[in-house]
Amino acid sequence: MSMKSKAWLVGGGIGSLAAAAFMIRDGGLPGANISILEAAPVMGGSLDGAGDPAAGYSMRGGRMLTTDNYECTWDLFKSVPSLNNAGKSVFDETVEFNERHRSDAMARLVDRRRAKVPVASMGFSMQDRAELLKLSQTDEDTLAASRITDCLSPSFFETEFWYMWSTTFAFEPWHSAVEFRRYMHRFLLEFSRLDTLAGVKRTIYNQYDSLVLPLQSWLAAQGVRLVADCKVTDFDHKVEDCTFIVTGIQCRRQGKREVIALNDGDLVFLQNASMTDASSLGSMTHPPPKLTKADSGGWTLWEKLADAWALFGNPAVFNSCIAQSCWESFTVTLKNPAFFDQMIQFSGNQPGTGGLVTFKDSNWLMSIVLAFQPHFPNQPEGVQVFWGYSLFPDRVGNFVPKPMDECNGAEILQELCGHLRFDPETVASAYCIPCRMPYITSMFMPRTRGDRPLPVPAGSKNLAFVSQFVEIPDDVVFTVEYSVRAAQMAVYQLLGINRKIPPVTPWDKSFRVQLDALIKEFK
Ligand SMILES: Cc1cc2nc3c(=O)[nH]c(=O)nc-3n(C[C@H](O)[C@H](O)[C@H](O)COP(=O)(O)OP(=O)(O)OC[C@H]3O[C@@H](n4cnc5c(N)ncnc54)[C@H](O)[C@@H]3O)c2cc1C
């Protein structure tokens, strides 16, 4: 690749931002040669977070990270300067923050009696153990498109382990057995600390302010063009000598149609689909509107490409059943300390030291988490923000006679107070913003080999894929790490960079770790 080559990144999520950074840091490409085209008004994609005390804060997700995994993420953020601590990297400041605020959750599961469920034992029967072991040892081609329920008996889904594991990682029983197996291997260390979430690391603020903004600022300082409100609608391409070559990018920029002609040597990195595609926000008085991919057009580009080249994957596997891939989150802004005070008393955890508190018998399977405060840099003293989500929003609630996806913010607070037996006065000043995400677990849909393209598919000359919907051996989706790893792989391959990509740490191959996990599990 010549230093005159230009790189075009379609989508402004962490995957693209990371790809731009790797091209500059490891490939030596000048920042001015790189453009990121993002359909939304801001960069960051799923890692969003915004608001103020008057309108309420909102973020679609709250993230748990680890420093035992996330090898590529930290490789990147060791090079990204902190915005708040001069001379330190984002990695340094995050590690220091987590040393000061260690996770030691004391209320992971709460039952219908409002009692904290003892979770040190995972609740497995001998049959559950045998089935789990068998699943973990079965290879991916044998499991193929099977679902978790195809491999594990009904009793497994009533264990404390399943309630904690499924809500920590957002698995539902009908999801891919292959992905569930990968998680068991990748996060083996978490088996023995799932009850306290002691391995979890968090960012100082929400992930938009703590990860996206510092990275975006660094990229802007290198001269990268960050183009918002620019939706790519199609690629012009040609096929020559059995290779697929993108020759132009068609887009709508601030409503106006544009075609970007590519030169020989130019590169394109596509974020093929997004877990937060077609997501929508509600308010205290309105539920979020029910959107689909037809409203957003977010999957269209990948669908067109998959029709054009056999090795570009099969998006229909992931986006054809909203009933199996949808759930809802909510962000609550409080101007009265009563809710936090009562949660601290109930859980025994100060904000930022607990984990997900899951109401295991709730019809919606609702969880909340109280992060360290402030969670937003502009959050004034006296204002508190927390986040929660429910895995089954299509079910009628226990305290609100409606499915969650028909509820406004006030009704979601009513359901939450019902499970906690908190007086409604506790949330009288609260503002709750619900968020519906129809494709949030689309990456977990059962799949077989070839349904996801490789970061650089065979036969592709200048097009790479950087997303949650690419095939990376051993790594797991629904993580920031997966997108960053995809970015690093795609960039290194297309730019021919001869630097080692940090491998997936083989915790599952470590005898000591396996032994500790087994001892804990059999206790
Ligand atoms: C609720 C929730 C909880 C999560 N919890 C965790 C967690 O605990 N730990 C963890 O590690 N990860 C977690 N994740 C996952 C993590 O946030 C994502 O994996 C990651 O942010 C995905 O990044 P991405 O860049 O691949 O895609 P995205 O962030 O989805 O970005 C894709 C971008 O591409 C844009 N785009 C799409 N099509 C076009 C087009 N045609 N033209 C222009 N732009 C386009 C979209 O607008 C979007 O901005 C969570 C995510 C959510 C939503």
Side-chain angles (χ1 to χ4, degrees):
M1 191 205 61
S2 110
M3 286 301 125
K4 287 199 179 130
S5 295
K6 291 208 164 105
W8 301 90
L9 298 118
V10 178
I14 188 74
S16 278
L17 299 176
F22 289 128
M23 280 191 267
I24 297 168
R25 188 191 76 178
D26 302 333
L29 192 68
N33 292 18
I34 302 173
S35 303
I36 303 181
L37 314 176
E38 165 56 52
V42 287
M43 299 288 147
S46 302
L47 299 181
D48 63 330
D52 58 57
Y57 291 92
S58 169
M59 53 207 168
R60 285 179 286 201
R63 279 147 201 99
M64 291 173 278
L65 313 169
T66 79
T67 41
D68 296 307
N69 312 93
Y70 289 74
E71 302 83 359
C72 298
T73 306
W74 300 126
D75 177 42
L76 170 68
F77 281 102
K78 278 177 186 167
S79 308
V80 178
S82 154
L83 288 180
N84 303 311
N85 296 296
K88 292 202 167 143
S89 68
V90 171
F91 172 75
D92 295 335
E93 68 174 8
T94 308
V95 167
E96 286 172 17
F97 172 79
N98 280 280
E99 273 161 12
R100 291 195 302 276
H101 307 282
R102 288 175 187 274
S103 296
D104 184 15
M106 291 187 266
R108 290 284 281 117
L109 299 181
V110 176
D111 70 11
R112 63 169 63 81
R113 289 172 287 270
R114 192 193 185 262
K116 289 186 258 180
V117 178
V119 288
S121 149
M122 301 290 173
F124 293 135
S125 66
M126 279 315 287
Q127 185 187 359
D128 297 329
R129 289 189 180 106
E131 289 177 354
L132 208 51
L133 209 56
K134 184 172 173 215
L135 170 54
S136 77
Q137 299 307 315
T138 308
D139 66 59
E140 292 194 359
D141 284 332
T142 307
L143 289 172
S146 54
R147 295 169 188 268
I148 306 171
T149 43
D150 295 331
C151 306
L152 301 167
S153 299
S155 63
F156 173 81
F157 298 93
E158 295 303 323
T159 58
E160 280 79 27
F161 171 82
W162 172 252
Y163 282 111
M164 288 190 285
W165 191 266
S166 65
T167 52
T168 301
F169 298 119
F171 273 105
E172 290 167 313
W174 48 82
H175 285 150
S176 159
V178 166
E179 197 59 33
F180 182 74
R181 176 191 183 278
R182 281 196 186 198
Y183 260 76
M184 286 167 61
H185 285 264
R186 181 77 156 123
F187 289 129
L188 189 76
L189 280 184
E190 306 320 315
F191 257 74
S192 56
R193 53 193 189 194
L194 190 59
D195 48 341
T196 59
L197 289 177
V200 165
K201 302 287 185 292
R202 301 184 187 279
T203 53
I204 299 175
Y205 297 117
N206 66 83
Q207 292 75 54
Y208 180 76
D209 284 295
S210 288
L211 298 178
V212 172
L213 269 191
L215 179 52
Q216 180 180 321
S217 306
W218 184 80
L219 292 174
Q222 310 302 310
V224 173
R225 287 175 64 229
L226 301 154
V227 186
D229 276 322
C230 178
K231 181 171 187 168
V232 173
T233 52
D234 210 347
F235 291 134
D236 299 328
H237 72 272
K238 63 182 179 185
V239 175
E240 247 175 38
D241 299 331
C242 296
T243 51
F244 185 96
I245 305 165
V246 180
T247 54
I249 298 174
Q250 298 184 27
C251 53
R252 288 193 76 79
R253 189 170 170 192
Q254 290 167 343
K256 288 202 187 117
R257 204 171 162 270
E258 272 180 35
V259 180
I260 301 164
L262 302 191
N263 296 315
D264 205 23
D266 286 356
L267 306 174
V268 179
F269 296 83
L270 169 67
Q271 299 225 264
N272 52 312
S274 165
M275 61 171 73
T276 49
D277 185 61
S279 61
S280 55
L281 299 181
S283 68
M284 277 298 271
T285 49
H286 290 90
K290 291 186 178 173
L291 307 182
T292 74
K293 67 187 180 112
D295 300 291
S296 69
W299 293 80
T300 316
L301 202 48
W302 185 19
E303 287 168 347
K304 284 181 187 170
L305 283 166
D307 281 345
W309 194 252
L311 297 178
F312 289 167
N314 186 6
V317 162
F318 304 100
N319 68 17
S320 298
C321 188
I322 287 177
Q324 292 179 29
S325 67
C326 180
W327 48 254
E328 260 194 54
S329 67
F330 54 95
T331 312
V332 182
T333 305
L334 300 154
K335 293 180 187 158
N336 173 328
F339 186 89
F340 266 56
D341 289 348
Q342 290 189 46
M343 272 307 290
I344 291 167
Q345 206 180 20
F346 174 69
S347 67
N349 278 115
Q350 289 297 322
T353 67
L356 284 169
V357 176
T358 295
F359 305 101
K360 71 176 267 292
D361 298 322
S362 62
N363 292 346
W364 298 351
L365 195 50
M366 183 189 245
S367 304
I368 59 169
V369 58
L370 271 53
F372 183 80
Q373 303 293 305
H375 201 44
F376 288 81
N378 69 345
Q379 191 181 316
E381 186 99 11
V383 172
Q384 292 154 320
V385 178
F386 73 92
W387 180 86
Y389 87 106
S390 298
L391 272 174
F392 304 122
D394 51 354
R395 294 183 184 166
V396 171
N398 303 83
F399 298 91
V400 178
K402 277 187 190 180
M404 185 190 191
D405 60 13
E406 289 174 16
C407 287
N408 59 33
E411 290 161 332
I412 290 171
L413 289 174
Q414 184 184 332
E415 178 77 13
L416 174 61
C417 283
H419 290 291
L420 282 164
R421 296 293 195 279
F422 282 1
D423 193 284
E425 266 303 302
T426 317
V427 292
S429 72
Y431 197 90
C432 172
I433 301 182
C435 174
R436 176 178 181 269
M437 295 174 282
Y439 301 104
I440 181 70
T441 57
S442 51
M443 316 81 59
F444 282 169
M445 294 299 281
R447 58 169 194 266
T448 51
R449 203 173 280 279
D451 288 334
R452 309 189 293 188
L454 295 172
V456 183
S460 172
K461 184 166 177 205
N462 64 347
L463 172 65
F465 293 83
V466 173
S467 74
Q468 296 286 306
F469 301 89
V470 296
E471 180 55 38
I472 301 175
D474 300 330
D475 210 350
V476 295
V477 291
F478 216 133
T479 59
V480 169
E481 172 68 8
Y482 204 80
S483 301
V484 177
R485 183 173 291 279
Q488 200 162 11
M489 290 172 72
V491 165
Y492 281 27
Q493 189 172 341
L494 278 189
L495 272 67
I497 296 171
N498 189 16
R499 177 178 179 266
K500 194 168 179 241
I501 294 175
V504 168
T505 311
W507 293 114
D508 55 338
K509 313 271 180 329
S510 150
F511 175 69
R512 183 67 239 171
V513 168
Q514 281 186 353
L515 198 65
D516 285 349
L518 280 175
I519 289 169
K520 176 87 193 252
E521 186 228 305
F522 277 88
K523 266 205 294 197

Short mmCIF file of all heavy atoms in Angstrom, two decimals, residues 320-368:
data_model
loop_
_atom_site.label_atom_id
_atom_site.label_comp_id
_atom_site.label_asym_id
_atom_site.label_seq_id
_atom_site.Cartn_x
_atom_site.Cartn_y
_atom_site.Cartn_z
N SER A 320 -33.45 -11.84 10.89
CA SER A 320 -34.78 -12.25 10.42
C SER A 320 -35.79 -12.51 11.53
O SER A 320 -36.93 -12.87 11.24
CB SER A 320 -34.65 -13.53 9.56
OG SER A 320 -33.86 -13.24 8.44
N CYS A 321 -35.41 -12.38 12.80
CA CYS A 321 -36.38 -12.70 13.85
C CYS A 321 -36.22 -11.78 15.06
O CYS A 321 -35.49 -12.11 16.02
CB CYS A 321 -36.25 -14.15 14.26
SG CYS A 321 -37.59 -14.63 15.37
N ILE A 322 -36.88 -10.64 15.02
CA ILE A 322 -36.77 -9.66 16.10
C ILE A 322 -37.21 -10.28 17.44
O ILE A 322 -36.64 -9.98 18.49
CB ILE A 322 -37.58 -8.40 15.75
CG1 ILE A 322 -36.85 -7.63 14.65
CG2 ILE A 322 -37.79 -7.51 16.97
CD1 ILE A 322 -37.56 -6.39 14.14
N ALA A 323 -38.19 -11.17 17.40
CA ALA A 323 -38.68 -11.79 18.64
C ALA A 323 -37.54 -12.51 19.38
O ALA A 323 -37.58 -12.66 20.60
CB ALA A 323 -39.80 -12.78 18.33
N GLN A 324 -36.52 -12.94 18.65
CA GLN A 324 -35.41 -13.65 19.29
C GLN A 324 -34.17 -12.77 19.52
O GLN A 324 -33.20 -13.22 20.11
CB GLN A 324 -35.00 -14.86 18.43
CG GLN A 324 -36.06 -15.94 18.40
CD GLN A 324 -35.66 -17.11 17.52
OE1 GLN A 324 -34.49 -17.42 17.34
NE2 GLN A 324 -36.66 -17.78 16.96
N SER A 325 -34.23 -11.54 19.03
CA SER A 325 -33.02 -10.71 19.17
C SER A 325 -33.26 -9.37 19.85
O SER A 325 -32.36 -8.57 19.99
CB SER A 325 -32.38 -10.46 17.79
OG SER A 325 -33.22 -9.67 16.99
N CYS A 326 -34.49 -9.14 20.32
CA CYS A 326 -34.83 -7.82 20.88
C CYS A 326 -34.78 -7.81 22.40
O CYS A 326 -35.18 -8.78 23.04
CB CYS A 326 -36.26 -7.47 20.43
SG CYS A 326 -36.84 -5.88 21.02
N TRP A 327 -34.24 -6.78 22.98
CA TRP A 327 -34.54 -6.47 24.38
C TRP A 327 -34.47 -4.97 24.61
O TRP A 327 -34.15 -4.22 23.70
CB TRP A 327 -33.76 -7.27 25.39
CG TRP A 327 -32.28 -7.48 25.36
CD1 TRP A 327 -31.63 -8.63 25.00
CD2 TRP A 327 -31.23 -6.57 25.78
NE1 TRP A 327 -30.27 -8.49 25.17
CE2 TRP A 327 -30.00 -7.24 25.65
CE3 TRP A 327 -31.22 -5.26 26.26
CZ2 TRP A 327 -28.77 -6.64 25.97
CZ3 TRP A 327 -30.01 -4.66 26.58
CH2 TRP A 327 -28.80 -5.35 26.44
N GLU A 328 -34.80 -4.59 25.85
CA GLU A 328 -34.89 -3.15 26.15
C GLU A 328 -34.00 -2.78 27.32
O GLU A 328 -33.91 -3.53 28.29
CB GLU A 328 -36.34 -2.80 26.52
CG GLU A 328 -37.10 -2.18 25.39
CD GLU A 328 -38.40 -1.53 25.83
OE1 GLU A 328 -38.42 -0.67 26.73
OE2 GLU A 328 -39.42 -1.91 25.24
N SER A 329 -33.39 -1.61 27.22
CA SER A 329 -32.66 -1.06 28.37
C SER A 329 -33.35 0.23 28.81
O SER A 329 -34.28 0.70 28.14
CB SER A 329 -31.20 -0.79 28.00
OG SER A 329 -31.10 0.24 27.05
N PHE A 330 -32.91 0.77 29.91
CA PHE A 330 -33.45 2.06 30.36
C PHE A 330 -32.41 2.78 31.20
O PHE A 330 -31.58 2.15 31.86
CB PHE A 330 -34.76 1.87 31.15
CG PHE A 330 -34.67 0.91 32.30
CD1 PHE A 330 -34.42 1.37 33.60
CD2 PHE A 330 -34.83 -0.46 32.11
CE1 PHE A 330 -34.35 0.49 34.67
CE2 PHE A 330 -34.73 -1.36 33.18
CZ PHE A 330 -34.49 -0.89 34.47
N THR A 331 -32.43 4.11 31.11
CA THR A 331 -31.51 4.93 31.90
C THR A 331 -32.35 5.84 32.79
O THR A 331 -33.30 6.47 32.31
CB THR A 331 -30.62 5.81 30.99
OG1 THR A 331 -30.08 4.98 29.96
CG2 THR A 331 -29.50 6.46 31.76
N VAL A 332 -32.00 5.89 34.07
CA VAL A 332 -32.80 6.67 35.01
C VAL A 332 -31.95 7.81 35.58
O VAL A 332 -30.83 7.59 36.04
CB VAL A 332 -33.32 5.77 36.16
CG1 VAL A 332 -34.20 6.58 37.12
CG2 VAL A 332 -34.09 4.57 35.61
N THR A 333 -32.51 9.01 35.53
CA THR A 333 -31.85 10.19 36.12
C THR A 333 -32.62 10.59 37.37
O THR A 333 -33.84 10.74 37.32
CB THR A 333 -31.86 11.36 35.11
OG1 THR A 333 -31.25 10.92 33.89
CG2 THR A 333 -31.12 12.57 35.65
N LEU A 334 -31.90 10.72 38.48
CA LEU A 334 -32.55 11.02 39.78
C LEU A 334 -32.04 12.34 40.33
O LEU A 334 -30.85 12.65 40.21
CB LEU A 334 -32.19 9.92 40.78
CG LEU A 334 -32.62 8.49 40.44
CD1 LEU A 334 -31.71 7.49 41.11
CD2 LEU A 334 -34.07 8.25 40.82
N LYS A 335 -32.95 13.06 40.96
CA LYS A 335 -32.53 14.33 41.58
C LYS A 335 -32.74 14.29 43.08
O LYS A 335 -32.79 15.33 43.74
CB LYS A 335 -33.31 15.48 40.96
CG LYS A 335 -32.96 15.70 39.51
CD LYS A 335 -33.74 16.83 38.92
CE LYS A 335 -33.49 16.93 37.44
NZ LYS A 335 -34.52 17.61 36.72
N ASN A 336 -32.94 13.08 43.58
CA ASN A 336 -33.18 12.90 45.01
C ASN A 336 -32.42 11.63 45.40
O ASN A 336 -32.53 10.62 44.72
CB ASN A 336 -34.70 12.73 45.18
CG ASN A 336 -35.11 12.38 46.58
OD1 ASN A 336 -34.37 11.70 47.29
ND2 ASN A 336 -36.28 12.81 46.98
N PRO A 337 -31.63 11.67 46.48
CA PRO A 337 -30.76 10.52 46.79
C PRO A 337 -31.50 9.30 47.33
O PRO A 337 -30.87 8.26 47.58
CB PRO A 337 -29.82 11.08 47.86
CG PRO A 337 -30.54 12.23 48.47
CD PRO A 337 -31.46 12.78 47.44
N ALA A 338 -32.81 9.38 47.51
CA ALA A 338 -33.54 8.30 48.20
C ALA A 338 -33.32 6.93 47.54
O ALA A 338 -33.07 5.93 48.22
CB ALA A 338 -35.03 8.62 48.25
N PHE A 339 -33.38 6.87 46.21
CA PHE A 339 -33.26 5.57 45.54
C PHE A 339 -31.86 4.99 45.76
O PHE A 339 -31.72 3.82 46.13
CB PHE A 339 -33.55 5.71 44.03
CG PHE A 339 -33.57 4.38 43.32
CD1 PHE A 339 -34.74 3.65 43.22
CD2 PHE A 339 -32.40 3.84 42.79
CE1 PHE A 339 -34.75 2.40 42.59
CE2 PHE A 339 -32.40 2.60 42.15
CZ PHE A 339 -33.58 1.88 42.06
N PHE A 340 -30.83 5.78 45.54
CA PHE A 340 -29.47 5.28 45.73
C PHE A 340 -29.25 4.88 47.20
O PHE A 340 -28.65 3.84 47.48
CB PHE A 340 -28.43 6.33 45.30
CG PHE A 340 -27.96 6.15 43.87
CD1 PHE A 340 -28.87 6.12 42.82
CD2 PHE A 340 -26.61 6.02 43.56
CE1 PHE A 340 -28.46 5.95 41.51
CE2 PHE A 340 -26.18 5.85 42.25
CZ PHE A 340 -27.10 5.82 41.22
N ASP A 341 -29.74 5.71 48.13
CA ASP A 341 -29.56 5.39 49.56
C ASP A 341 -30.17 4.03 49.89
O ASP A 341 -29.55 3.20 50.57
CB ASP A 341 -30.20 6.47 50.44
CG ASP A 341 -29.42 7.78 50.39
OD1 ASP A 341 -28.28 7.77 49.87
OD2 ASP A 341 -29.96 8.82 50.84
N GLN A 342 -31.37 3.80 49.39
CA GLN A 342 -32.04 2.52 49.71
C GLN A 342 -31.36 1.34 49.01
O GLN A 342 -31.30 0.24 49.55
CB GLN A 342 -33.51 2.60 49.32
CG GLN A 342 -34.30 3.52 50.23
CD GLN A 342 -35.80 3.42 49.98
OE1 GLN A 342 -36.35 2.33 49.87
NE2 GLN A 342 -36.46 4.55 49.89
N MET A 343 -30.86 1.59 47.80
CA MET A 343 -30.16 0.49 47.09
C MET A 343 -28.85 0.15 47.80
O MET A 343 -28.48 -1.03 47.89
CB MET A 343 -29.87 0.89 45.63
CG MET A 343 -30.96 0.56 44.64
SD MET A 343 -31.53 -1.16 44.65
CE MET A 343 -30.13 -2.02 43.96
N ILE A 344 -28.15 1.17 48.29
CA ILE A 344 -26.89 0.92 49.02
C ILE A 344 -27.19 0.08 50.25
O ILE A 344 -26.50 -0.91 50.54
CB ILE A 344 -26.21 2.26 49.40
CG1 ILE A 344 -25.71 2.97 48.13
CG2 ILE A 344 -25.07 2.04 50.40
CD1 ILE A 344 -25.31 4.42 48.32
N GLN A 345 -28.26 0.46 50.95
CA GLN A 345 -28.63 -0.27 52.16
C GLN A 345 -29.04 -1.71 51.82
O GLN A 345 -28.62 -2.66 52.47
CB GLN A 345 -29.80 0.46 52.81
CG GLN A 345 -29.88 0.23 54.28
CD GLN A 345 -31.07 0.99 54.86
OE1 GLN A 345 -32.00 1.36 54.15
NE2 GLN A 345 -31.03 1.19 56.15
N PHE A 346 -29.81 -1.86 50.77
CA PHE A 346 -30.32 -3.18 50.40
C PHE A 346 -29.20 -4.09 49.88
O PHE A 346 -29.08 -5.25 50.29
CB PHE A 346 -31.41 -3.02 49.33
CG PHE A 346 -31.89 -4.32 48.76
CD1 PHE A 346 -32.64 -5.21 49.54
CD2 PHE A 346 -31.59 -4.68 47.46
CE1 PHE A 346 -33.07 -6.42 49.01
CE2 PHE A 346 -32.02 -5.89 46.93
CZ PHE A 346 -32.76 -6.76 47.71
N SER A 347 -28.37 -3.55 48.98
CA SER A 347 -27.37 -4.41 48.32
C SER A 347 -26.09 -4.56 49.14
O SER A 347 -25.37 -5.54 48.98
CB SER A 347 -27.01 -3.82 46.95
OG SER A 347 -26.34 -2.58 47.12
N GLY A 348 -25.80 -3.57 49.99
CA GLY A 348 -24.53 -3.60 50.72
C GLY A 348 -23.37 -3.07 49.88
O GLY A 348 -22.22 -3.14 50.29
N ASN A 349 -23.66 -2.57 48.70
CA ASN A 349 -22.61 -2.07 47.80
C ASN A 349 -22.73 -0.57 47.59
O ASN A 349 -23.82 -0.06 47.35
CB ASN A 349 -22.72 -2.73 46.42
CG ASN A 349 -22.07 -4.08 46.37
OD1 ASN A 349 -22.75 -5.10 46.19
ND2 ASN A 349 -20.77 -4.13 46.54
N GLN A 350 -21.59 0.10 47.65
CA GLN A 350 -21.54 1.49 47.20
C GLN A 350 -21.62 1.49 45.66
O GLN A 350 -21.15 0.54 45.03
CB GLN A 350 -20.22 2.15 47.63
CG GLN A 350 -20.13 2.41 49.13
CD GLN A 350 -21.18 3.39 49.62
OE1 GLN A 350 -21.51 4.37 48.93
NE2 GLN A 350 -21.73 3.13 50.80
N PRO A 351 -22.18 2.55 45.05
CA PRO A 351 -22.22 2.60 43.58
C PRO A 351 -20.84 2.39 42.98
O PRO A 351 -19.86 2.97 43.46
CB PRO A 351 -22.75 4.02 43.30
CG PRO A 351 -23.50 4.39 44.53
CD PRO A 351 -22.81 3.72 45.67
N GLY A 352 -20.78 1.56 41.96
CA GLY A 352 -19.50 1.29 41.30
C GLY A 352 -18.78 0.08 41.86
O GLY A 352 -17.79 -0.36 41.29
N THR A 353 -19.26 -0.48 42.98
CA THR A 353 -18.59 -1.66 43.53
C THR A 353 -19.45 -2.91 43.40
O THR A 353 -18.98 -4.01 43.65
CB THR A 353 -18.24 -1.48 45.02
OG1 THR A 353 -19.47 -1.42 45.77
CG2 THR A 353 -17.44 -0.22 45.26
N GLY A 354 -20.71 -2.72 43.04
CA GLY A 354 -21.60 -3.88 42.88
C GLY A 354 -21.58 -4.34 41.44
O GLY A 354 -20.68 -4.02 40.67
N GLY A 355 -22.58 -5.09 41.08
CA GLY A 355 -22.67 -5.51 39.69
C GLY A 355 -24.12 -5.43 39.29
O GLY A 355 -24.90 -4.66 39.89
N LEU A 356 -24.49 -6.22 38.32
CA LEU A 356 -25.90 -6.29 37.95
C LEU A 356 -26.67 -6.90 39.12
O LEU A 356 -26.28 -7.95 39.64
CB LEU A 356 -26.07 -7.19 36.74
CG LEU A 356 -25.68 -6.62 35.38
CD1 LEU A 356 -25.66 -7.73 34.35
CD2 LEU A 356 -26.63 -5.52 34.93
N VAL A 357 -27.73 -6.24 39.53
CA VAL A 357 -28.66 -6.82 40.49
C VAL A 357 -29.85 -7.32 39.66
O VAL A 357 -30.52 -6.53 39.00
CB VAL A 357 -29.14 -5.76 41.51
CG1 VAL A 357 -30.17 -6.36 42.46
CG2 VAL A 357 -27.96 -5.18 42.27
N THR A 358 -30.05 -8.63 39.66
CA THR A 358 -31.07 -9.22 38.77
C THR A 358 -32.26 -9.73 39.57
O THR A 358 -32.08 -10.46 40.55
CB THR A 358 -30.45 -10.40 37.98
OG1 THR A 358 -29.43 -9.88 37.13
CG2 THR A 358 -31.48 -11.13 37.14
N PHE A 359 -33.44 -9.34 39.15
CA PHE A 359 -34.66 -9.83 39.79
C PHE A 359 -35.03 -11.13 39.07
O PHE A 359 -35.69 -11.13 38.04
CB PHE A 359 -35.76 -8.76 39.71
CG PHE A 359 -35.27 -7.46 40.30
CD1 PHE A 359 -34.83 -6.42 39.49
CD2 PHE A 359 -35.17 -7.32 41.68
CE1 PHE A 359 -34.32 -5.26 40.04
CE2 PHE A 359 -34.66 -6.16 42.25
CZ PHE A 359 -34.23 -5.12 41.42
N LYS A 360 -34.53 -12.23 39.62
CA LYS A 360 -34.53 -13.50 38.86
C LYS A 360 -35.92 -14.03 38.57
O LYS A 360 -36.12 -14.75 37.61
CB LYS A 360 -33.68 -14.56 39.58
CG LYS A 360 -34.27 -15.11 40.85
CD LYS A 360 -33.42 -16.23 41.44
CE LYS A 360 -33.85 -17.61 40.98
NZ LYS A 360 -35.17 -18.00 41.52
N ASP A 361 -36.90 -13.67 39.42
CA ASP A 361 -38.26 -14.17 39.18
C ASP A 361 -39.11 -13.16 38.42
O ASP A 361 -40.32 -13.38 38.26
CB ASP A 361 -38.92 -14.51 40.53
CG ASP A 361 -38.17 -15.63 41.25
OD1 ASP A 361 -37.71 -16.56 40.56
OD2 ASP A 361 -38.03 -15.56 42.48
N SER A 362 -38.51 -12.05 38.01
CA SER A 362 -39.33 -11.04 37.30
C SER A 362 -39.65 -11.56 35.90
O SER A 362 -38.80 -12.13 35.23
CB SER A 362 -38.59 -9.71 37.23
OG SER A 362 -37.38 -9.82 36.51
N ASN A 363 -40.87 -11.32 35.49
CA ASN A 363 -41.29 -11.81 34.16
C ASN A 363 -40.41 -11.23 33.06
O ASN A 363 -40.11 -11.90 32.07
CB ASN A 363 -42.74 -11.42 33.89
CG ASN A 363 -43.70 -12.17 34.80
OD1 ASN A 363 -43.31 -13.14 35.45
ND2 ASN A 363 -44.95 -11.72 34.87
N TRP A 364 -40.01 -9.96 33.25
CA TRP A 364 -39.18 -9.32 32.21
C TRP A 364 -37.71 -9.74 32.32
O TRP A 364 -36.91 -9.38 31.47
CB TRP A 364 -39.23 -7.79 32.34
CG TRP A 364 -40.58 -7.17 32.15
CD1 TRP A 364 -41.72 -7.77 31.71
CD2 TRP A 364 -40.92 -5.80 32.41
NE1 TRP A 364 -42.76 -6.86 31.68
CE2 TRP A 364 -42.29 -5.64 32.09
CE3 TRP A 364 -40.22 -4.69 32.86
CZ2 TRP A 364 -42.96 -4.43 32.22
CZ3 TRP A 364 -40.88 -3.47 32.99
CH2 TRP A 364 -42.24 -3.34 32.67
N LEU A 365 -37.35 -10.43 33.39
CA LEU A 365 -35.96 -10.70 33.77
C LEU A 365 -35.15 -9.39 33.76
O LEU A 365 -34.29 -9.14 32.92
CB LEU A 365 -35.30 -11.76 32.89
CG LEU A 365 -33.99 -12.34 33.47
CD1 LEU A 365 -34.12 -12.79 34.91
CD2 LEU A 365 -33.47 -13.50 32.64
N MET A 366 -35.50 -8.59 34.75
CA MET A 366 -34.96 -7.22 34.84
C MET A 366 -33.71 -7.18 35.72
O MET A 366 -33.65 -7.87 36.74
CB MET A 366 -36.05 -6.34 35.45
CG MET A 366 -35.73 -4.88 35.56
SD MET A 366 -37.02 -4.06 36.53
CE MET A 366 -37.72 -2.98 35.32
N SER A 367 -32.73 -6.37 35.30
CA SER A 367 -31.51 -6.16 36.09
C SER A 367 -31.22 -4.66 36.12
O SER A 367 -31.53 -3.95 35.16
CB SER A 367 -30.30 -6.84 35.45
OG SER A 367 -30.51 -8.20 35.24
N ILE A 368 -30.59 -4.21 37.21
CA ILE A 368 -30.10 -2.83 37.23
C ILE A 368 -28.66 -2.81 37.74
O ILE A 368 -28.22 -3.76 38.40
CB ILE A 368 -30.97 -1.90 38.12
CG1 ILE A 368 -31.02 -2.41 39.57
CG2 ILE A 368 -32.36 -1.73 37.54
CD1 ILE A 368 -31.64 -1.39 40.53
#
